[in-house]
Amino acid sequence: MVAVAPFTVFGKEASKDEDIYEQRMELYKKAEAVSLIPWYYFAAIDQYERNIRLVRRDLPKAKGALGIYVKPEIWAGPLNKNPNDTNPLTISQFGGLGMDGNGDGVADPTNDEDVIFSIARFLQSYGTDHEHLKIALWEYYQRSKTVDLILGKVKIYKKYGTLQLDNHAFPVPLRANYTYKDTWGDARGWGGRRMHEGTDIFADYGVPVRATCYGIIELKGWNKYGGWRIGIRDINNTYHYFAHLNGFAAGIEEGQVVEPGMVIGSVGSSGYGPPGTAGKFPPHLHYGMYKDNGYTEWSFDPYPHLKMWERMEKIKQRKQRDHK
């Protein structure tokens, strides 16, 4: 009984996740049908908003399948004296965003259909092509970083055609000779006193470095601290930072979509100086993780995530060997 229980629970959780993905996709497709805006724009907005709500205390928790939150003054209209107005007629008169999407005569900001159709109508008012949708996102969020994050997700969802992009990979092959421990928060002295914002994975020169997630390459190049480095943004607004590389994999470019396990470079010892500086420390991969909350970005400890991804990959490899 004890041995079977965890697998039963995981099975239920997997089924639950699949159900919510289906619900969300159905809503996105409905919005696509009425607006002629591809579903992946709605998916990207929803995913961005969902992750913002998870890390912000000033936003209410989502009640439905979607994570999109519309501020009361935006929903009801900036001049509407009733910020909780749900009457589609008065909301329209005051220039509010809210509308009745499910035909019940109420514009409910907590109803998934009302929310998705309201967003669809707003976007459609600017046009349905990419450039006009980009303008619409800027007008709505008034933050270039947010627009870039959402459009990055658009690119990812468009390429893979699914919402189920939660898999991860350990950043170096498990067969490699590597070692690491939790070094997040340790003191660093080069270039001024600062804390270590990541985990160091020590390995030999040239060991492949792999993307840990589905994401888009936001940054590629040199930094005097990190040397040759790559930054990847995943669908959860998390930025994955790979530093001290020996070099980049062929064809790797900014704006490219990557997936778990894809080789992006190799372990090195670059950094702590002008471009080309290397060898000031043993070869290793500096791996950092940063979260965006809609206003700013901060680092957090990647060590627990690395341990989990390493463990899950070992389990996967063991299952594959058992099936042979």
Side-chain angles (χ1 to χ4, degrees):
M1 291 294 289
V2 175
V4 174
F7 293 96
T8 303
V9 172
F10 288 142
K12 289 182 178 178
E13 286 300 317
S15 177
K16 182 180 178 181
D17 288 342
E18 290 177 4
D19 289 344
I20 198 68
Y21 285 135
E22 289 180 5
Q23 290 177 43
R24 289 171 184 162
M25 183 61 85
E26 183 179 353
L27 288 163
Y28 305 152
K29 289 288 189 177
K30 284 182 177 180
E32 178 184 63
V34 300
S35 68
L36 301 182
I37 296 171
W39 67 268
Y40 37 81
Y41 284 92
F42 301 109
I45 293 170
D46 183 35
Q47 184 68 2
Y48 171 81
E49 295 257 1
R50 179 176 302 104
N51 283 278
I52 291 300
R53 294 176 89 160
L54 288 174
V55 298
R56 292 258 295 273
R57 295 182 179 180
D58 61 326
L59 298 177
K61 298 303 179 184
K63 295 182 179 180
L66 301 184
I68 299 173
Y69 171 69
V70 181
K71 295 179 180 179
E73 62 271 23
I74 302 299
W75 184 267
L79 300 179
N80 195 334
K81 293 183 179 180
N82 179 15
N84 299 312
D85 194 357
T86 59
N87 185 321
L89 179 60
T90 53
I91 288 176
S92 178
Q93 291 174 340
F94 285 106
L97 185 73
M99 64 174 289
D100 172 21
N102 61 359
D104 64 356
V106 177
D108 182 359
T110 64
N111 178 273
D112 286 335
E113 287 187 288
D114 291 358
V115 170
I116 197 72
F117 283 115
S118 297
I119 294 296
R121 183 175 64 175
F122 174 80
L123 295 177
Q124 189 184 42
S125 69
Y126 285 82
T128 58
D129 63 277
H130 183 78
E131 290 304 315
H132 285 94
L133 292 172
K134 185 176 181 179
I135 294 171
L137 290 171
W138 162 250
E139 290 295 336
Y140 186 79
Y141 289 102
Q142 297 286 303
R143 182 182 182 234
S144 295
K145 181 70 171 179
T146 295
V147 175
D148 290 341
L149 293 181
I150 291 174
L151 293 182
K153 299 182 202 314
V154 165
K155 199 170 182 179
I156 297 168
Y157 284 129
K158 181 179 180 180
K159 177 172 181 176
Y160 292 104
T162 179
L163 301 179
Q164 300 189 47
L165 301 173
D166 301 316
N167 292 338
H168 290 86
F170 194 68
V172 299
L174 298 188
R175 66 178 183 277
N177 182 21
Y178 67 87
T179 182
Y180 70 107
K181 62 180 181 178
D182 194 351
T183 54
W184 191 84
D186 288 356
R188 289 291 185 269
W190 192 88
R193 190 165 182 79
R194 54 199 172 87
M195 66 170 274
H196 188 234
E197 296 183 345
T199 294
D200 288 337
I201 302 175
F202 289 88
D204 295 331
Y205 281 108
V207 167
V209 171
R210 311 183 300 172
T212 52
C213 59
Y214 289 96
I216 189 165
I217 297 178
E218 274 192 9
L219 173 148
K220 172 196 169 189
W222 177 270
N223 174 279
K224 64 181 180 180
Y225 298 103
W228 299 116
R229 81 273 197 250
I230 286 179
I232 298 173
R233 181 77 59 177
D234 69 16
I235 60 170
N236 296 316
N237 296 349
T238 302
Y239 182 74
H240 303 250
Y241 182 66
F242 306 75
H244 305 315
L245 300 177
N246 193 48
F248 306 111
I252 291 294
E253 300 293 343
E254 288 186 10
Q256 180 179 348
V257 174
V258 297
E259 57 190 56
M262 180 177 175
V263 176
I264 58 175
S266 59
V267 172
S269 62
S270 61
Y272 283 21
T277 304
K280 291 193 173 184
F281 40 76
H284 69 276
L285 169 69
H286 169 94
Y287 183 78
M289 296 177 74
Y290 299 78
K291 179 67 73 173
D292 183 272
N293 67 0
Y295 291 125
T296 187
E297 196 164 65
W298 73 94
S299 66
F300 60 95
D301 191 357
Y303 182 78
H305 298 271
L306 290 169
K307 294 297 289 184
M308 178 176 64
W309 300 338
E310 181 185 38
R311 182 172 64 252
M312 295 305 294
E313 193 165 341
K314 285 181 178 179
I315 292 173
K316 182 179 178 180
Q317 289 184 356
R318 192 179 306 123
K319 287 182 177 180
Q320 289 175 341
R321 288 195 299 268
D322 292 341
H323 286 314
K324 287 182 178 179

